[in-house]
Amino acid sequence: MIKKPDSVAKKSAIFIMPRSSKAWVGAEALWITVAGWSAAAARKFGNAWVLTSDRVASPEEVIHYPLGEQKPASTSKKKTLGQRVPLFIKTLLKDILLWRKSRQWNINKTFPWSDSGVAFVWQQHDLFEGPGKKIAAQLGVPLIVYVHAPVVWEAGKWGVKRPIWGVLLEKYQERKALQQADIVACVSEDVARKVIQMGIDPGKVLISPMSVDPFLFGSDNSSLSLRQSLGLDNKFVLGWTGSFRSFHGLDILINVFNKVYQQRNDAVLLLVGDGQEREGIARMVKELDLEKAVMFLGKKPFAEIPKYVSLFDIAIVSARSADDFHYSPLKLREYLAAGKPTLAPQAGEIPVMFSDNNHLLLYKVGDIDDSASKIITLMEDLSLRERLSRNGANYILSNGTWDYEMEKALRKIESNTKH
């Protein structure tokens, strides 16, 4: 039961992550999204509160996701045992556990809002619905559900199959949760199309891509001491941030950089992140004798990413394939907001939302020669870099921020209400 005080000094908005504060450890995009939206709401209304099943947090806390202490890593014995269990069985067991936890949501605390003080409730979409609809109904305010991707659909793309029960989950759990929303904010056009195919009213659907907090990436984050400590003086820095996962195609990026390095031995590639593909990429770097030119900086807290991006002379968005490129690259918007000349793939929404040779340079996915040629062009043309830097930053800071996306959602709610 949710107990509310009688009054509140300022208006606010409520944001719900329908799992615990320790969940979604590897799903940085989800935490970054709620941190961005809640920070934008706090700037507009004065307050914003982020609810998980075990606590309430502020936008300032959420940016240092995940909250709370993490469980220790599993032992090698447990990992070996887990490898013997078929993936679909492990998936089924995880789904059952998640369903049980979703039914145990019972926050019995006093929260700092009132019936008249809340502007809207926002909830991250999950396999099983959270308490968003109930809270929104109690307060008489709109519910916005944000969808990075329908869970069953996206998992299937990565090879996680749910025989029989996946169809039932999508129809009777995911669709039901989305139908309850006043606005279904989708991260990309592909996700929006899928949501509509699931039976969601197109009038509720809003394309709302991953965006940027201008107070993080739009300010001066340069660090001379960091640059010097990494030995980057007199170096031309190419940079990438993200997770070492197959779909990012980092092996292709290494081959591209190898071609660049043959022409410009002052070039350095910074890789900021970690993941299951890192070991293989490191071996590849060694085999190509690029160890002095490729630097693995490891995973960094999100709040520290801006200072590493500040080191880049050129920023790169990598991709293995242009096929089924359904996500909205957050790193692309971060690079542009930071004023970095950026190379991005001709894939998904990118060629539609961004102008080639104006906001950024586009390359053909998988074409090593084309990518290397574009990087060399950027390295040798200062005026081009300056133009892309200026235009890219202006574009993002005017219509690529979380504040912009929140206002867009509020306008749609108002428009739908009038009709």
Side-chain angles (χ1 to χ4, degrees), residues 229-247:
S229 69
L230 293 173
L232 298 177
D233 290 340
N234 302 317
K235 298 293 185 181
F236 198 103
V237 181
L238 311 179
W240 173 92
T241 60
S243 59
F244 283 63
R245 299 174 68 181
S246 177
F247 67 85

Side-chain angles (χ1 to χ4, degrees), residues 12-13 15 32-48 59-60 120 211-215 401-407 410:
S12 61
F15 295 81
I32 292 170
T33 300
V34 73
W37 271 78
S38 60
R43 287 191 285 270
K44 180 176 179 65
F45 300 114
N47 281 301
E60 293 79 10
F120 61 85
S211 298
V212 176
D213 186 334
F215 294 90
T401 66
W402 295 115
D403 307 68
Y404 178 86
E405 291 304 317
M406 183 185 68
E407 292 291 349
L410 293 176

Side-chain angles (χ1 to χ4, degrees), residues 43-116:
R43 287 191 285 270
K44 180 176 179 65
F45 300 114
N47 281 301
W49 311 99
V50 180
L51 277 65
T52 61
S53 62
D54 57 337
R55 64 172 292 178
V56 179
S58 66
E60 293 79 10
E61 291 174 303
V62 174
I63 199 170
H64 300 287
Y65 60 85
L67 306 173
E69 296 182 1
Q70 301 305 303
K71 295 180 180 179
S74 301
T75 64
S76 58
K77 184 177 180 180
K78 288 183 178 179
K79 288 182 179 179
T80 302
L81 181 61
Q83 290 172 354
R84 297 174 184 171
V85 180
L87 179 58
F88 82 95
I89 294 295
K90 289 192 287 187
T91 303
L92 176 59
L93 294 175
K94 288 179 180 178
D95 287 351
I96 292 172
L97 180 60
L98 181 59
W99 171 74
R100 290 182 61 185
K101 288 183 176 179
S102 71
R103 294 170 64 85
Q104 295 169 358
W105 187 294
N106 183 26
I107 300 178
N108 188 18
K109 298 179 180 178
T110 298
F111 294 113
W113 60 68
S114 71
D115 289 349
S116 61

Side-chain angles (χ1 to χ4, degrees), residues 150-164:
V151 179
V152 174
W153 176 71
E154 183 180 44
K157 291 178 178 294
W158 307 132
V160 179
K161 305 300 181 183
R162 291 177 166 90
I164 302 175

Side-chain angles (χ1 to χ4, degrees), residues 260-281:
V260 171
Y261 189 66
Q262 304 311 312
Q263 298 183 55
R264 290 285 300 262
N265 61 11
D266 61 332
V268 172
L269 176 62
L270 299 188
L271 301 176
V272 185
D274 206 347
Q276 59 189 11
E277 299 282 322
R278 175 171 171 168
E279 186 176 336
I281 297 301

Side-chain angles (χ1 to χ4, degrees), residues 128-363:
F128 300 101
E129 64 179 301
K133 182 61 179 179
K134 179 179 179 181
I135 295 175
Q138 287 178 344
L139 299 176
V141 298
L143 172 64
I144 300 171
V145 172
Y146 195 91
V147 189
H148 285 87
V151 179
V152 174
W153 176 71
E154 183 180 44
K157 291 178 178 294
W158 307 132
V160 179
K161 305 300 181 183
R162 291 177 166 90
I164 302 175
W165 86 91
V167 175
L168 299 176
L169 284 178
E170 185 177 277
K171 183 176 182 180
Y172 295 106
Q173 291 295 327
E174 291 201 76
R175 184 173 69 174
K176 175 185 174 184
L178 294 174
Q179 287 175 331
Q180 293 178 344
D182 295 284
I183 295 295
V184 178
C186 299
V187 77
S188 69
E189 289 188 10
D190 277 356
V191 172
R193 281 194 290 269
K194 172 59 182 176
V195 163
I196 292 171
Q197 288 173 4
M198 290 170 64
I200 305 307
D201 180 358
K204 290 183 176 183
V205 176
L206 175 71
I207 297 174
S208 181
M210 295 289 291
S211 298
V212 176
D213 186 334
F215 294 90
L216 277 178
F217 287 90
S219 57
D220 183 13
N221 294 289
S222 58
S223 174
L224 180 60
S225 61
L226 179 59
R227 189 177 185 91
Q228 291 175 338
S229 69
L230 293 173
L232 298 177
D233 290 340
N234 302 317
K235 298 293 185 181
F236 198 103
V237 181
L238 311 179
W240 173 92
T241 60
S243 59
F244 283 63
R245 299 174 68 181
S246 177
F247 67 85
H248 281 143
L250 288 175
D251 54 333
I252 299 175
L253 176 58
I254 296 302
N255 281 321
V256 170
F257 178 73
N258 188 39
K259 275 191 169 289
V260 171
Y261 189 66
Q262 304 311 312
Q263 298 183 55
R264 290 285 300 262
N265 61 11
D266 61 332
V268 172
L269 176 62
L270 299 188
L271 301 176
V272 185
D274 206 347
Q276 59 189 11
E277 299 282 322
R278 175 171 171 168
E279 186 176 336
I281 297 301
R283 282 197 304 270
M284 184 177 180
V285 167
K286 185 176 182 179
E287 290 168 359
L288 292 172
D289 196 24
L290 293 173
E291 290 177 290
K292 293 182 179 179
V294 178
M295 301 179 66
F296 295 84
L297 300 186
K299 183 176 175 60
K300 304 296 179 183
F302 177 68
E304 294 182 15
I305 293 297
K307 72 178 182 181
Y308 286 94
V309 171
S310 75
L311 301 173
F312 301 171
D313 295 304
I314 296 174
I316 300 172
V317 179
S318 59
R320 177 169 302 285
S321 171
D323 297 333
D324 203 21
F325 191 94
H326 70 274
Y327 63 96
S328 174
L330 173 61
K331 62 172 65 68
L332 171 56
R333 290 163 173 81
E334 292 171 349
Y335 297 159
L336 296 178
K340 300 302 174 181
T342 301
L343 193 71
Q346 293 178 344
E349 65 174 23
I350 295 176
V352 177
M353 299 194 69
F354 301 93
S355 174
D356 187 22
N357 204 38
N358 181 25
H359 302 134
L360 41 63
L361 282 189
L362 296 175
Y363 67 87

